[in-house]
């Protein structure tokens, strides 16, 4: 592998863009036409149940922005950065292959199933396609996983925004800007272009102006919030985002943040093209067999759960059966919104990996190794001492040592690249804070959509006992379920920490991805597409097996030996619930396949008899 060391970042960018372009034009269209058999004449739930709140026909570009903003949370940013511990090669291969053959297929198939099931949730789809008991267990598992996921995302967001006035100001500014855009697009015809230009201009003003405003101590102190304050604020925001009409805050804010997300990734790509840096991280490090300071386990199977959203993610199933199918104009847009958004997220993950791997290995491990373990790490790895850390810390004005979690090392990597662009000298502090804010916006847009979807889940589940709750227009039901769900993850955010909750995210998230693929494969088999259903079944079964393996390793070799019994129990519960869902689903597959075989035999003999006559 030595010949791969020192590879230029442009090579990875070129390979990624080429592969994703071919995949969209070939495999994406194949899935849409042959596997799903998209019908443009079908009426989508957005029109059939249009109510101006949740079911709202939405322009495909705006919906793409909402969907991408909702699915692209911390996963495609933080996961690849953490996986850089193994070297750049394992992460690159999983992002490229997983995104094309697993993640994109998952998002398209799940979105298609929800559209055909009137915009209902994955649990409801499981109940109808597999059985009521399976649907109830799946709903319980999904709620359990979603609460853990949103708590983990929120804590990652808090880590980026607390005691960072400029970043917090910019993130808060997106709320009134989004409401202004939502009102314009709602009440002024053909106003998408105007609202987009206005929103983009106001966002730039907030970013640039916020930097200047925070220089005034009185204003800066107003946005100098502690972790507990931001935890409460995020919980309140999640509640409001789940209750207010989707067109007023959720969609325009996600659409607005998409400018920032995609714009920043384009800027980062241009920066890499201009300076074409070499990757400093080796292709393969010695930590592929485990024992690394960032991830304790080996590259197999942990690479598949560390890099989640950038390759395949169960959280996408929550969005693809929650808000997005209720706003889809036409089934033909499933390819653009589902597969297209996943490919863009895969490219984001690739750029995050590149940003981390352009740092010197010593600097990368200096940031991501806990301070208490750093002395021991250097004693065992004397060649990997910090190189540029002192210089970078002085220019940014922040002590970067031991700031684990991936977010800071990504921000440093991005700032390091931007700082080397001509005429960009001495602005590294600006780029660093901009990158931190960029990551926070990524995460928040998943929190608001995830909270709204969690409310949908609760309404459906409680509605089986109290039918009134299943009425999506009944305000008391909306408020009650929103409060219950928001306070569930909000409590974990307020009382927990990132190290106690985040490790569960990878396991639970990938189990949910396997669930989405396997449950929706049942629908494809029922529609008599068993040969094409393999496109969803194979990655679904693969993700189930690999995640159960990773879960076992996590519980037996990390949680239990370190006395983390609560985390072990929570991981075991998530795995057990999903195991029951998979078992019942496989039984349903056998019934459907046997039934279709009998029908083929019957009609085959009938036609043969007619021919002989």
């Amino acid at each position: 592998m030595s010949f791969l060391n020192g590879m230029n970042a442009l090579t990875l960018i070129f390979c990624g863009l080429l592969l994703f372009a071919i995949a969209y034009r070939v495999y994406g269209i194949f899935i849409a036409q042959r596997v799903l058999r998209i019908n443009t004449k079908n009426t989508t739930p957005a029109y059939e149940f249009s109510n101006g709140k949740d079911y709202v026909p939405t322009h495909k570009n705006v919906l793409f922005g909402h969907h991408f903003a909702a699915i692209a949370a911390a996963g495609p940013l933080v996961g690849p950065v953490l996986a850089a511990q193994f070297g750049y090669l394992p992460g690159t291969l999983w992002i490229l292959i997983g995104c094309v053959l697993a993640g994109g297929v998952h998002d398209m198939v799940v979105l298609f199933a929800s559209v055909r099931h009137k915009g209902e949730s994955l649990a409801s789809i499981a109940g109808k396609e597999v059985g009521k008991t399976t649907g109830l267990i799946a709903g319980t598992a999904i709620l359990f996983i979603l609460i853990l996921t949103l708590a983990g995302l929120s804590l990652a967001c808090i880590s980026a925004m607390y005691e960072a006035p400029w970043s917090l100001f910019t993130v808060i500014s997106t709320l009134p800007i989004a409401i202004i855009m939502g009102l314009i697009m709602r009440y002024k015809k053909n106003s998408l272009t105007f609202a987009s230009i206005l929103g983009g201009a106001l966002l730039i003003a907030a970013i640039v102006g916020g930097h200047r405003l925070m220089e005034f101590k009185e204003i800066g102190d107003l946005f100098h919030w502690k972790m507990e304050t931001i935890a409460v604020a995020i919980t309140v925001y999640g509640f409001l985002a789940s209750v207010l009409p989707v067109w007023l805050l959720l969609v325009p804010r996600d659409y607005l943040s998409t400018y920032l997300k995609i714009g920043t990734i384009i800027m980062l790509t241009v920066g890499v093209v201009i300076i074409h840096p070499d990757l400093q991280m080796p292709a393969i490090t010695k930590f592929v067999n485990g024992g690394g300071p960032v991830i304790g386990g080996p590259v197999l199977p942990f690479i598949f759960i560390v890099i989640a959203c950038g390759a395949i993610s169960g959280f996408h199933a929550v969005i693809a059966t929650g808000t997005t199918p209720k706003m889809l104009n036409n089934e033909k847009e499933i390819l653009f919104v589902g597969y297209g958004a996943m490919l863009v997220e895969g490219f984001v993950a690739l750029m995050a990996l590149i940003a981390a791997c352009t740092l010197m290995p010593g600097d990368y491990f200096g940031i991501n190794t806990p301070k208490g373990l750093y002395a021991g790490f250097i004693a065992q790895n004397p060649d990997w001492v910090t190189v540029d850390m002192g210089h970078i810390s002085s220019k940014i004005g922040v002590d970067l040592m031991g700031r684990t979690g991936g977010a800071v090392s990504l921000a440093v990597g991005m700032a390091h690249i931007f700082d080397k662009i001509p005429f960009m000298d001495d602005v590294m502090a600006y780029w660093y804070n901009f990158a931190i804010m960029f990551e926070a916006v990524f995460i928040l847009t998943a929190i608001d959509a995830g909270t709204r979807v969690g409310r949908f889940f609760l309404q459906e589940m409680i509605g089986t006992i109290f039918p009134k709750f299943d009425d999506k227009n009944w305000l008391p039901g909306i408020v009650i379920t929103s409060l219950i769900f928001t306070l569930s993850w909000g409590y974990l955010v307020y009382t927990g920490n990132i190290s106690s909750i985040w490790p569960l995210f990878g396991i639970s998230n990938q189990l949910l991805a396997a669930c989405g693929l396997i449950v929706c494969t049942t629908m494809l088999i029922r529609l008599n597409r068993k040969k094409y259903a393999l496109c969803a079944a194979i990655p679904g079964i693969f993700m189930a097996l690999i995640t159960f393996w990773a879960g076992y390793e996590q519980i037996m070799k990390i949680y239990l030996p370190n006395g983390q019994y609560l985390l072990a129990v929570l991981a075991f519960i998530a795995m057990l619930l999903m195991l029951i869902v998979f078992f019942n689903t496989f039984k349903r597959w056998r019934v459907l396949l046997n039934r279709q075989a009998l029908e083929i035999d019957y009609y085959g003999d009938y036609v043969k008899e007619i021919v002989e006559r």
Side-chain angles (χ1 to χ4, degrees), residues 136-152:
L136 180 61
I137 296 173
T140 303
I142 292 169
L143 271 178
F144 177 77
I145 291 171
L146 189 56
I147 289 171
L148 291 174
T149 300
L150 292 178

Side-chain angles (χ1 to χ4, degrees), residues 53-54 66 146 150 238-247 250 322-323 446-457 459 478 482 485:
K53 295 181 180 179
D54 298 317
H66 157 71
L146 189 56
L150 292 178
F239 172 76
L240 293 176
S242 68
V243 172
L244 292 175
V246 69
W247 58 265
L250 188 71
T323 53
I447 292 173
D448 53 28
T451 302
R452 195 177 193 91
V453 173
R455 188 253 290 178
F456 292 152
F457 269 111
Q459 283 187 269
I478 294 174
S482 294
F485 184 76

